[in-house]
Amino acid sequence: MQDSLKLIPGNSLITATPEEGRLLAVTMARLIIKATQPDAGIRGRLRSVYSEDAAMLIAIGQTVATEFATISAANNYWKS
Amino acid sequence: MQDSLKLIPGNSLITATPEEGRLLAVTMARLIIKATQPDAGIRGRLRSVYSEDAAMLIAIGQTVATEFATISAANNYWKS
Amino acid sequence: MQDSLKLIPGNSLITATPEEGRLLAVTMARLIIKATQPDAGIRGRLRSVYSEDAAMLIAIGQTVATEFATISAANNYWKS
Amino acid sequence: MQDSLKLIPGNSLITATPEEGRLLAVTMARLIIKATQPDAGIRGRLRSVYSEDAAMLIAIGQTVATEFATISAANNYWKS
Amino acid sequence: MQDSLKLIPGNSLITATPEEGRLLAVTMARLIIKATQPDAGIRGRLRSVYSEDAAMLIAIGQTVATEFATISAANNYWKS
Amino acid sequence: MQDSLKLIPGNSLITATPEEGRLLAVTMARLIIKATQPDAGIRGRLRSVYSEDAAMLIAIGQTVATEFATISAANNYWKS
């Protein structure tokens, strides 16, 4: 992994709103893939695979859901 | 991802009832797929795949369960 | 999804006993599949597939386990 | 599902020890499979499949881990 | 399952350190596989399969992560 | 598993920042794979497989998400 790669933008799990927390979950999931496969060309090719594969799209949703669970709890669910 | 895409309708995890929370879980899971595959035509074709595939239907259920866990905790399980 | 579909019977996660909570977990998992594939004939055909497929039966168990975790916490584990 | 099927032996998540809690997790995972496939003959045949399939054995472990997480929390991790 | 099989060494989730907790997570995951497939010869053959299969190694990591989450919480994350 | 293998660098889940916690999650996930497949040559060959396989990259992300959930909670989400 590249030492300079940022895995969490802003180095914080705290966001102003649930929507921003959801975007952070998507970004964090993507940055792990980027860290594991740093080659942008290969990632682009893989994207054309998973974006048209129903099973992989569902699996991406599962990963985002797990990241979002953590972010939501960190923000105490934005309740108050 | 389109910047204008809403990932969480109403920008809140709080719902009046468990049933509404469950619907939100389903919607949030779908919006991640929509964000990853913005082309409605391709999504429609994929839907005809996963809606008749037992393994994928089970996987969708797993994702919804994870989203719902977060929403339920955010609502303190609607207990009182 | 059909607007009139009930995703959580009784619109509550609270049950009298763990056994009832477990049944609710099974039901909630099934209702998501029903919402995603409303055609009873297709669901019947898929059932004959997954009920004889070891990997899918295990996956169903994983989903029920996740739903049950939420229900159990909502009921504070029926401890007192 | 057979109405008379017991999904949680003793109708409780509380156990005396972690070892008993682990056994309960294994049993609960198995009873969901039994509820989904009530035919003992088919289950026996499937068992000969998954017990020699590395990927399925791993998946069973994942399900048991999830059930055990719930049971452990219900018992407040048997800490005191 | 063999009644005498120990599923949790020491019958406790409490460990002195995170490293020991991690080892316990690995052991607990393995003992479930052992309970499901008691034949050491078959397990040895399966090990030669999964130890050279990237997807299965990743799946093992997922299971260990889930077990470790439970152990970590039981130990209140070894924070103080 | 090699007795001397370190599964958690520093033997602690506590990190100064979320970014460092995320790096720890990635490392912990990798060390489980290393413990299961100690041969560096085989791991190198497997890496060339999973780093170009969309489904496996997504699965790695799922595992890291689970590890990170534990680390985040251990650090009380770095909120204050």
Side-chain angles (χ1 to χ4, degrees), chain E:
Chain E
M1 190 180 312
Q2 300 159 295
D3 281 337
S4 61
L5 185 72
K6 287 283 189 304
L7 293 174
I8 302 178
N11 201 3
S12 172
L13 301 181
I14 307 305
T15 69
T17 65
E19 179 81 13
E20 289 178 29
R22 195 74 171 165
L23 281 167
L24 178 58
V26 172
T27 302
M28 284 171 58
R30 289 187 178 170
L31 288 172
I32 291 300
I33 291 179
K34 188 173 181 180
T36 312
Q37 177 46 269
D39 186 312
I42 296 175
R43 286 204 311 277
R45 178 163 55 76
L46 294 177
R47 183 176 173 81
S48 71
V49 172
Y50 70 70
S51 68
E52 303 204 12
D53 183 297
M56 291 190 203
L57 286 170
I58 295 165
I60 288 169
Q62 180 65 38
T63 301
V64 170
T66 304
E67 301 286 16
F68 185 67
T70 300
I71 294 166
S72 296
N75 285 280
N76 199 24
Y77 306 96
W78 300 275
K79 275 202 296 191
S80 60

Side-chain angles (χ1 to χ4, degrees), chain A residues 17-23 26 30 47 50-55 57-62 64-66 68-70 72-73 77-79, chain B residues 1 5-8 11-14 28-29 32-33 35-37 42 45-46 49-50 56 59-60 62-63 66-67 70 73-76:
Chain A
T17 66
E19 179 81 14
E20 288 179 29
R22 194 75 171 165
L23 281 167
V26 171
R30 289 187 177 170
R47 183 176 173 80
Y50 71 67
S51 68
E52 303 204 12
D53 182 296
L57 286 169
I58 295 166
I60 288 168
Q62 179 65 38
V64 170
T66 304
F68 185 66
T70 300
S72 296
Y77 306 95
W78 300 274
K79 276 201 297 191
Chain B
M1 188 181 314
L5 184 71
K6 285 285 188 303
L7 294 174
I8 303 177
N11 201 2
S12 172
L13 301 181
I14 308 304
M28 284 170 57
I32 292 298
I33 291 179
T36 312
Q37 177 47 268
I42 296 175
R45 178 164 54 76
L46 294 177
V49 172
Y50 70 69
M56 290 189 204
I60 288 168
Q62 179 65 39
T63 300
T66 304
E67 301 286 15
T70 300
N75 285 278
N76 199 23

Side-chain angles (χ1 to χ4, degrees), chain F:
Chain F
M1 189 180 313
Q2 301 159 293
D3 281 337
S4 61
L5 184 71
K6 286 283 189 303
L7 294 174
I8 303 178
N11 201 3
S12 171
L13 301 181
I14 307 305
T15 68
T17 65
E19 178 82 14
E20 289 178 28
R22 195 73 171 165
L23 281 167
L24 178 58
V26 172
T27 301
M28 284 170 59
R30 289 186 178 171
L31 288 172
I32 291 298
I33 290 179
K34 188 173 181 179
T36 313
Q37 177 45 270
D39 186 312
I42 296 175
R43 286 204 311 276
R45 178 164 55 76
L46 294 177
R47 183 175 174 81
S48 71
V49 172
Y50 70 69
S51 68
E52 303 204 12
D53 183 296
M56 291 190 204
L57 286 170
I58 295 165
I60 288 169
Q62 180 65 37
T63 301
V64 170
T66 304
E67 301 286 16
F68 185 67
T70 300
I71 293 166
S72 296
N75 285 280
N76 199 24
Y77 306 95
W78 300 273
K79 274 202 298 192
S80 60

Side-chain angles (χ1 to χ4, degrees), chain D residues 21-79:
Chain D
R22 194 75 170 165
L23 281 166
L24 178 58
V26 172
T27 301
M28 284 170 59
R30 289 187 178 170
L31 288 172
I32 291 298
I33 291 180
K34 188 173 182 179
T36 312
Q37 178 46 268
D39 186 311
I42 295 176
R43 286 203 311 276
R45 178 163 55 75
L46 293 177
R47 183 175 174 81
S48 71
V49 172
Y50 70 69
S51 68
E52 303 204 11
D53 183 296
M56 290 189 203
L57 286 170
I58 295 165
I60 288 169
Q62 180 66 38
T63 301
V64 170
T66 305
E67 301 286 15
F68 185 66
T70 301
I71 293 166
S72 296
N75 285 279
N76 199 24
Y77 307 95
W78 300 275
K79 276 202 295 191

